[in-house]
Amino acid sequence: APSPRHRRCRTQRRAMVFSVKVESSASVAGKTLSLVVAYAGVGDKISVVEGAAGPTVTLDAGADGALEGLATCSKYIACLTGDETLKAQLVGTTPADEAMIHEWLARACLDYSGPAVDTSRSLESLNAHLATRSFVATHGAVSLADIVLYASTHASLAALPADTKTELIHLIRWCDHVGAVVQQNGKRVFGVVPFARGELLDLKPPTEDRKEKERAGPASQGGTGGKDMETKGDAQGDAKGKGAAKGDAGKDAAKGGDAAKPDDDAIAAARAAKKAAKELEKKDKPKKEPIAKKEVTVDVLDIRVGTITKAWEHPGADKLWVETIDVGESKERQVVSGLRAFKTGEQMIGARVLVLCNVKPGPLRDEMSQGMVMCASNDDHSLVDFVVPPVGAVNGERVSFVGFEGEPVETLVPKKKMFEACAPKLKTNETGVAEYDGVPFMTTKGPCVSALTNCFIK
């Protein structure tokens, strides 16, 4: 059963401002609480003030009594938000989520802070925990446990030598993502943890298009063929003309007329005049300007916010998941995704994702697929993670791109390679924000992000 303190999180509170006291606003505790206040959007209800005796954090919650400790005060502050969806994200909705968040809040304060902590062992353990996860306690979004643990470990991570950071790549990836998502006034409160990032691929198109050259070849040959056909046509016309002349002459002879046989020189002159007239007509006829091909841009893609409601192993392929996804339509879509090597069933079910909805439906290993889950992937495809919509974005909302206002095509025809034309410009930036040619994937609640930075989106 929920504790009395946890039950108080769910009750209505009076509109009054409480103060949480810290030793210094520049301390880790002070920065952490300021970050929680900003992310929960409760700056009108809570103020962080200096004056605490030592490192102890205290909060006078009025009728709810006096609270003490970073984890307890952070949880109380998160529960003050008026956004129920955000509250559920921060403190959990199910008993399992609530228990995991409580556990990791406790670990953040006991195992990852303080002078007596074995930093190297704790960080290695956390790195192993994050090897198959995007977040420490829950799936799909940043929780309160991520924020507090991020604040507790940031200084230790930043101080590590470069080679050690490379060994702790899962922990570094998580820290970089949480820092990008949880900001105060558009800035990272704890700064960026520097680490070596891979070089960007050179994706310039080839200078010569072989297919275009091959298509041009038959066309140039066809021009000579056209002349041959024209000459042949003239010859056939002449033959018909001769036949008609003979017929008329025969009729005239039968009638006893005096019709004369056509003069060969006159016939040749008539042919030459006809040919000259055709050539003159061709010269005078204006040449048609080649129709410029319209550039394929991202607004042809129908990308929508969705939630995975079910997921099961593909019966005929050990690398595929089959899932049903709610994208705001009357019926959920079935999608087949190659994510078995990267996501567990628990990580799939309930995950908030982006779905490319106008791919051509078709079977993948005998299972119908009606869309594609958008994921970020590193160069060697050893790391793959979802591109996640922001909290509050509703299922079915179409992702937009500033400056690209066209309507998506009904179906992406594979032969036209529309998605392939957009793919080289789809990637995450250095903070994990998904972009097309530098323009963010936007919803009415903000940009979409991934835990993987500087990676292409497929």
Side-chain angles (χ1 to χ4, degrees), residues 290-310:
I291 300 175
K293 290 185 178 180
K294 183 181 178 182
E295 182 185 2
V296 177
T297 53
V298 72
D299 45 7
V300 302
L301 306 181
D302 186 9
I303 304 173
R304 300 185 219 163
V305 175
T307 301
I308 299 176
T309 57
K310 297 178 183 178

Side-chain angles (χ1 to χ4, degrees), residues 4 6 61 132 286 314 326 344 384 396:
H6 189 269
T132 58
H314 192 294
D326 178 7
T344 65
V384 176

Side-chain angles (χ1 to χ4, degrees), residues 323-400:
E323 60 262 12
T324 56
I325 306 178
D326 178 7
V327 290
E329 298 171 330
S330 58
K331 185 179 179 181
E332 295 181 347
R333 292 192 178 215
Q334 179 171 298
V335 177
V336 179
S337 304
L339 297 172
R340 283 266 292 280
F342 309 99
K343 295 290 181 182
T344 65
E346 292 180 350
Q347 292 172 320
M348 292 291 290
I349 298 172
R352 298 274 287 157
V353 294
L354 298 184
V355 182
L356 180 60
C357 291
N358 59 342
V359 295
K360 186 176 181 180
L364 285 178
R365 301 290 292 271
D366 299 325
E367 289 288 338
M368 179 57 67
S369 185
Q370 300 169 302
M372 183 176 79
V373 176
M374 307 293 285
C375 291
S377 171
N378 64 350
D379 295 343
D380 61 3
H381 203 63
S382 60
L383 294 175
V384 176
D385 207 349
F386 298 128
V387 178
V388 182
V391 175
V394 298
N395 291 339
E397 180 179 353
R398 184 188 169 207
V399 174
S400 61

